[in-house]
Amino acid sequence: MACLSSSRLCARVQDKLMCQFGPKVRRQTVFVKLKPPGPSPLRIFGKTCQRVTTCGPACGSAGGGAVAGAARRLASSLQSTSTGSLPDYGTQIVDPYRLLEDDLNGIYEDIRSELERNTNQPELNTIATYYFDGQGKALRPMVTTLMARAVNYHVYGENSALLPTQRQVAMISEMIHSASLIHDDVIDQSDFRRGKPSVNVLWNHKKVAMAGDFILAVASMMIARLRSDEVTLVLSQVVTDLVQGEFMQLGSKETENERFAHYLTKTYRKTASLIANSVKAVALLSGADENTCELAFQYGRNLGLSFQLVDDLLDFVSSAQAMGKPTAADLRLGLATAPVLFACEKYPELNPMIMRRFQEAGDVEKAFELVHKSRGLEQTRFLARKHGVEAARLAAELADSPYQKGLVVTTDLVLNRIK
Amino acid sequence: MSLSRLRSVVKCDFVKVRPSSALLSKLAPCAGREVSTSSTRCAVAQQNTKPDWNRAVSEAEKIVGYPTSFLSLRWVLSDEIANVALHLRKLVGSNHPLLKTAKNLLYNGKNNMQAWGLIVLLVSKAAGHSPEIPDMEQDKAAGVLHSQRALAEVAEMIRTSHLVHKGLVNMNVRQVLAGEPDDMLFGNKIALLSGDYLLANSCTELANLRNQELVELMSSAVRDLVEAEFLGDRDQQNNPLPSRPLPEDQRTTASEWDCILSPLPMAGVEGCARREWAARHVLAAGALLGKSCSAALKLAGHKPALQTQGYLFGCHLALAWQAFLDLEAFTGPEPASFSLVGAPLAFTLEARPELYSYIEAGKKSVHDVDYHALYEAVLSGGGIQRTRQLQREHSGRAREVLDCFPYGDARTALANIIVAMNA
């Protein structure tokens, strides 16, 4: 218990520090010290201090100044701890999906049959399995499986295999993701997802909400069957984070600094937490030491943040056809994502629009245009790349294996995707 | 009940309740005693409330200490709930059913929330626990384990979450009707998130108990609740309608529910009044209460055989309870509407299949059903009699289980609750 909570605390702290660009950082450290230290206090404080020193000067000089500037400085301070560019993984390019073909093969079928086994109501089965049609990117199962194999290799060497429990976690990660998508669809009233009508268009909302609960319940039973207290705790954290992220999305902050911090925390909770905790869960299952589990978690967290930043970027640049959902959707939902937040540095007139959640006529179009005129998209890509680079750096610390290379390549895939 | 009437009911409730407790009541269904006791004044107006019941429950609460833990306090202090509270204010005055759900959670007499956690705690105390459990993990004064109290909270959170999600409005159907889709949309959003919040919290609480069999059992109860919402025919707002009664010779044998971790088998259920009623309410209520009781016994280190008895107790009690609620509609003055899947009507329909045409009128909305005609039919037939019999059977089975427990105040309290229900 103690060791787990300490590592989670550590993750929380890092997350908070990463997010708090403003003068709040110092207060955060005080908060950290008040918490019970856990079994390895040195490590926590070591990490905390390191973060504060890398981030402190930037924050001190920023003093609540321009968000973008602070972000850039933070990013460059991050860079100083990393290799600076993506490590050279040789001429041989690893395609993670091909590498894991055997592992991922049939994963959707397995999820579908797991759901089917758990209900005798045909309609419930239809709704619950709707998004498990194999059309998704299966990013979460892929990263989870990749990390599982990379960590197994790291711990046990060449002859290690994927544990059945680890594959279960890969399935669970996709199920939790889909359950949250289904509830998002009801909340956002979206019409299309993954290039087909979304669930709330086809079935009534009560049933759709129930189907989301059902998927979560089945996933929860699968988690329980892994019979690992630690893994259950780690994965239950994901569900809490998802809901808290959704709550954060309902509100917005007054000042620019708070707003960016709010945005990053929300992004962690809504997207990165699932990836981070799933890869941590497979690392725990492989029996890796605490440091390796933490490394896996941080990899997932950075990859997740990078992924969501790119997603927010694509909402502005990609075509509706490529995404399988309408573009500028976030603006229409009243959400100010990174590109807008960066853009308001140059165009302060965006501030009132953000505050009124782009509700007035013409707001969406105007904001869209201003974002394109500003350097917001570029800055968002820059921040996404920084997190990608950090993830790649962490992956490079694992023992050299095709899977470890795959983890590095994945950070590139996430950055360069077009949908 | 018509929408306009519903609206006035909701509104008048918000006039009665003080602003601070209005927030509480909306958010924390298991909220502090003060709120619900102050609401008993409202309950007095309810005609069917029997003092026996209130006495049985309040005496039982004394036996296990405070009704639930300080869950309510924790909720009020949490950021998310403060956030919802702000948003919920906007809903006051709209006719989103979330408000009705919130109201029912507190005021619904015998079906109130405290009672569910209370049963779990009483069963915990009645059965006692193995002597090996360290003192640190016990609530000596109340005679239950801290983990059992946490479990009682989880049971209530799961149930509340489900009720809140059930209270969503089907927007795609409604948009044509309602002049205020924004309110409805917003209400749905808040209802969905609040329910998710409770569900997420129950996941975390369960994980903290560090007992994976328990997590599996309770998760399966969540699944059962969801299944209940898909059983049989529905109107456009997902209100349940009974299935067309099958003639005797077309009924197939029902399979047993051997493993409660698997979903309830549906063979031979639909169209057979008693089985359909039982399946519906086992899924919607009995499974959660039964599994919670069983889990409480598991936490106390009891043998699987006793855990099964715990499950049976919860299940039968929930069914007896449901039969009692179904009867309530037919004991007082004629209500404007009543459950179409209640036992009295189910038995009446089985005896007189031609009445099913009244049900078919409600395919679009249960409000279109001629309740008066069905009411008369139930009163003139043997439906009420058979429901009484059903209630007696389930109460009897629940009481039999109580005999497995040693004699004590908690066992007596449970027995009293069963008696009060039959009164």
Side-chain angles (χ1 to χ4, degrees):
Chain A
M1 177 61 202
C3 89
L4 186 91
S5 65
S6 79
S7 60
R8 187 183 298 158
L9 169 67
C10 190
R12 278 278 177 83
V13 170
Q14 292 230 342
D15 177 49
K16 284 225 167 100
L17 291 179
M18 285 294 289
C19 299
Q20 307 285 345
F21 297 130
K24 271 201 171 167
V25 171
R26 301 219 174 266
R27 234 183 299 148
Q28 287 292 344
T29 48
V30 176
F31 165 68
V32 169
K33 282 179 185 165
L34 287 171
K35 287 265 179 176
S40 53
L42 282 175
R43 201 176 62 81
I44 297 176
F45 288 123
K47 284 221 172 184
T48 312
C49 291
Q50 185 202 333
R51 278 296 174 219
V52 173
T53 46
T54 50
C55 162
C59 300
S61 60
V67 175
R72 223 175 295 132
R73 272 188 295 279
L74 175 86
S76 55
S77 69
L78 252 182
Q79 194 167 27
S80 66
T81 65
S82 76
T83 52
S85 64
L86 283 176
D88 179 19
Y89 36 83
T91 45
Q92 171 207 6
I93 299 293
V94 186
D95 175 354
Y97 285 100
R98 180 161 297 172
L99 190 64
L100 299 176
E101 214 172 337
D102 289 344
D103 295 333
L104 294 178
N105 193 17
I107 199 152
Y108 282 108
E109 285 83 349
D110 291 349
I111 294 175
R112 283 207 303 272
S113 57
E114 187 71 43
L115 291 170
E116 196 171 339
R117 250 202 304 286
N118 272 293
T119 180
N120 291 320
Q121 306 297 333
E123 193 180 17
L124 174 57
N125 185 38
T126 314
I127 304 176
T129 54
Y130 183 71
Y131 282 139
F132 299 107
D133 55 357
Q135 297 303 303
K137 292 182 283 279
L139 176 79
R140 289 151 192 87
M142 186 273 275
V143 174
T144 308
T145 315
L146 209 49
M147 181 60 83
R149 282 198 172 268
V151 171
N152 291 352
Y153 199 105
H154 182 77
V155 178
Y156 303 103
E158 206 172 332
N159 294 323
S160 58
L162 184 70
L163 299 170
T165 50
Q166 291 174 323
R167 190 166 186 276
Q168 289 280 310
V169 174
M171 288 163 63
I172 291 163
S173 68
E174 187 67 7
M175 291 170 74
I176 295 178
H177 174 58
S178 288
S180 81
L181 283 188
I182 287 179
H183 279 190
D184 276 359
D185 279 350
V186 176
I187 289 177
D188 299 341
Q189 295 275 299
S190 50
D191 296 330
F192 282 95
R193 185 179 292 279
R194 293 182 177 169
K196 61 181 187 179
S198 43
V199 277
N200 57 307
V201 177
L202 297 174
W203 292 282
N204 76 44
H205 293 182
K206 276 185 222 194
K207 287 186 176 173
V208 171
M210 290 294 166
D213 293 353
F214 172 74
I215 297 175
L216 187 67
V218 175
S220 194
M221 290 176 76
M222 288 166 73
I223 294 171
R225 270 185 250 123
L226 301 176
R227 296 289 189 259
S228 158
D229 293 350
E230 311 302 317
V231 170
T232 304
L233 281 161
V234 165
L235 292 176
S236 71
Q237 181 63 38
V238 174
V239 185
T240 307
D241 281 338
L242 281 171
V243 179
Q244 288 187 334
E246 205 64 57
F247 271 113
M248 289 182 77
Q249 191 155 301
L250 281 181
S252 55
K253 292 283 180 224
E254 298 286 327
T255 69
E256 289 178 34
N257 263 339
E258 279 185 333
R259 215 182 273 153
F260 208 87
H262 188 262
Y263 164 77
L264 282 181
T265 310
K266 183 201 84 182
T267 304
Y268 166 73
R269 290 187 173 156
K270 282 198 68 178
T271 311
S273 170
L274 173 55
I275 302 178
N277 285 302
S278 303
V279 293
K280 182 177 175 180
V282 289
L284 284 168
L285 285 169
S286 86
D289 61 22
E290 207 182 312
N291 284 330
T292 312
C293 292
E294 180 59 20
L295 182 142
F297 176 87
Q298 291 300 338
Y299 170 87
R301 183 179 143 279
N302 278 291
L303 186 77
L305 290 175
S306 170
F307 177 85
Q308 190 56 46
L309 284 163
V310 172
D311 211 56
D312 293 343
L313 179 80
L314 287 173
D315 196 41
F316 283 90
V317 296
S318 182
S319 72
Q321 206 177 6
M323 288 292 281
K325 58 183 178 191
T327 50
D330 291 333
L331 286 179
R332 283 179 226 287
L333 290 171
L335 304 178
T337 53
V340 186
L341 295 175
F342 280 125
C344 63
E345 192 189 354
K346 191 172 173 194
Y347 299 104
E349 61 263 45
L350 279 167
N351 279 316
M353 291 192 217
I354 294 173
M355 289 314 290
R356 61 175 183 250
R357 298 178 78 94
F358 312 104
Q359 289 301 303
E360 280 180 23
D363 275 1
V364 170
E365 292 71 19
K366 184 73 183 160
F368 192 80
E369 189 197 324
L370 288 178
V371 166
H372 277 273
K373 269 164 65 183
S374 74
R375 293 180 61 233
L377 295 172
E378 202 181 315
Q379 285 164 312
T380 306
R381 183 169 288 283
F382 188 80
L383 190 57
R385 184 169 295 127
K386 287 302 154 196
H387 283 293
V389 167
E390 175 64 6
R393 184 189 69 79
L394 288 161
E397 287 181 19
L398 290 172
D400 189 48
S401 71
Y403 310 109
Q404 177 257 356
K405 287 200 180 68
L407 286 172
V408 176
V409 174
T410 304
T411 64
D412 253 1
L413 285 183
V414 161
L415 276 175
N416 298 324
R417 69 206 175 96
I418 49 154
K419 66 168 206 172
Chain B
M1 190 188 288
S2 75
L3 270 179
S4 59
R5 190 171 152 202
L6 178 81
R7 188 173 192 168
S8 64
V9 168
V10 169
K11 271 199 174 152
C12 98
D13 271 321
F14 280 104
V15 175
K16 272 187 218 156
V17 183
R18 282 162 308 174
S20 58
S21 57
L23 281 183
L24 264 182
S25 62
K26 272 177 278 177
L27 303 168
C30 335
R33 254 349 356 228
E34 309 83 57
V35 179
S36 50
T37 41
S38 72
S39 74
T40 41
R41 265 177 290 131
C42 312
V44 173
Q46 250 182 313
Q47 264 145 1
N48 294 327
T49 310
K50 300 210 173 66
D52 268 0
W53 171 264
N54 289 337
R55 207 174 58 224
V57 167
S58 72
E59 272 168 14
E61 279 174 350
K62 282 180 210 145
I63 290 169
V64 287
Y66 43 96
T68 49
S69 68
F70 289 112
L71 175 71
S72 48
L73 197 60
R74 229 166 48 222
W75 283 12
V76 176
L77 294 179
S78 85
D79 273 0
E80 288 73 30
I81 288 306
N83 208 338
V84 180
L86 283 175
H87 290 293
L88 257 183
R89 290 195 168 198
K90 296 183 203 161
L91 279 182
V92 176
S94 81
N95 53 12
H96 196 282
L98 174 58
L99 299 178
K100 191 182 154 214
T101 310
K103 193 195 72 168
N104 282 346
L105 291 176
L106 267 183
Y107 308 142
N108 204 10
K110 301 190 178 175
N111 210 12
N112 68 10
M113 293 308 300
Q114 282 89 356
W116 282 70
L118 180 64
I119 301 290
V120 177
L121 289 178
L122 286 173
V123 168
S124 303
K125 186 170 187 186
H129 47 258
S130 98
E132 288 146 39
I133 289 170
D135 281 4
M136 277 288 284
E137 289 171 23
Q138 297 179 28
D139 180 344
K140 286 270 186 191
V144 296
L145 306 178
H146 294 305
S147 57
Q148 288 173 325
R149 206 178 276 284
L151 181 78
E153 281 183 23
V154 167
E156 293 191 348
M157 283 196 281
I158 290 177
R159 184 168 150 76
T160 313
S161 155
H162 179 71
L163 286 174
V164 168
H165 277 176
K166 240 172 95 170
L168 254 64
V169 178
N170 285 331
M171 293 287 298
N172 27 11
V173 186
R174 268 196 60 95
Q175 231 151 15
V176 208
L177 303 169
E180 50 212 335
D182 274 0
D183 276 350
M184 290 295 152
L185 191 60
F186 192 76
N188 270 359
K189 194 185 271 195
I190 298 297
L192 193 60
L193 281 181
S194 311
D196 283 350
Y197 175 77
L198 291 170
L199 210 52
N201 258 9
S202 61
C203 279
T204 314
E205 290 259 322
L206 275 177
N208 279 321
L209 293 178
R210 296 178 165 259
N211 182 331
Q212 300 310 312
E213 285 177 28
L214 202 102
V215 174
E216 192 177 1
L217 187 63
M218 295 303 288
S219 304
S220 77
V222 176
R223 177 207 59 202
D224 295 337
L225 288 174
V226 172
E227 277 217 291
E229 292 307 301
F230 286 84
L231 195 155
D233 294 333
R234 303 271 152 174
D235 79 345
Q236 287 182 348
Q237 284 297 328
N238 216 39
N239 295 309
L241 299 168
S243 308
R244 181 185 294 280
L246 282 175
E248 199 106 33
D249 56 329
Q250 284 177 31
R251 291 181 201 155
T252 51
T253 37
S255 24
E256 289 292 317
W257 196 13
D258 298 323
C259 171
I260 54 172
L261 287 175
S262 310
L264 181 72
M266 291 305 295
V269 166
E270 282 183 28
C272 173
R274 204 189 141 122
R275 277 183 216 152
E276 187 176 314
W277 179 86
R280 196 182 292 277
H281 296 294
V282 162
L283 286 177
L288 178 60
L289 192 56
K291 286 173 181 181
S292 303
C293 292
S294 164
L297 299 180
K298 194 192 286 284
L299 280 173
H302 289 296
K303 295 205 165 57
L306 195 67
Q307 292 173 26
T308 308
Q309 291 301 311
Y311 169 76
L312 289 175
F313 175 78
C315 226
H316 284 299
L317 184 67
L319 290 178
W321 204 324
Q322 186 60 48
F324 172 79
L325 288 174
D326 288 351
L327 279 172
E328 262 192 337
F330 298 97
T331 45
E334 186 180 342
S337 69
F338 47 86
S339 167
L340 292 179
V341 291
L345 183 59
F347 288 130
T348 308
L349 284 173
E350 193 172 60
R352 294 173 57 194
E354 74 276 7
L355 290 172
Y356 196 73
S357 58
Y358 285 107
I359 301 293
E360 284 177 316
K363 279 251 187 282
K364 215 167 149 206
S365 164
V366 287
H367 300 302
D368 299 338
V369 169
D370 183 351
Y371 284 97
H372 180 70
L374 289 174
Y375 183 80
E376 296 289 320
V378 170
L379 284 190
S380 62
I384 294 178
Q385 216 38 53
R386 289 186 66 188
T387 307
R388 288 233 161 82
Q389 175 61 27
L390 188 69
Q391 192 202 350
R392 270 195 297 275
E393 276 173 40
H394 287 297
S395 309
R397 297 287 296 277
R399 251 197 309 258
E400 275 168 31
V401 177
L402 282 185
D403 296 339
C404 314
F405 299 141
Y407 179 79
D409 54 359
R411 193 182 103 169
T412 312
L414 284 169
N416 285 344
I417 286 180
I418 296 174
V419 171
M421 207 162 52
N422 280 319

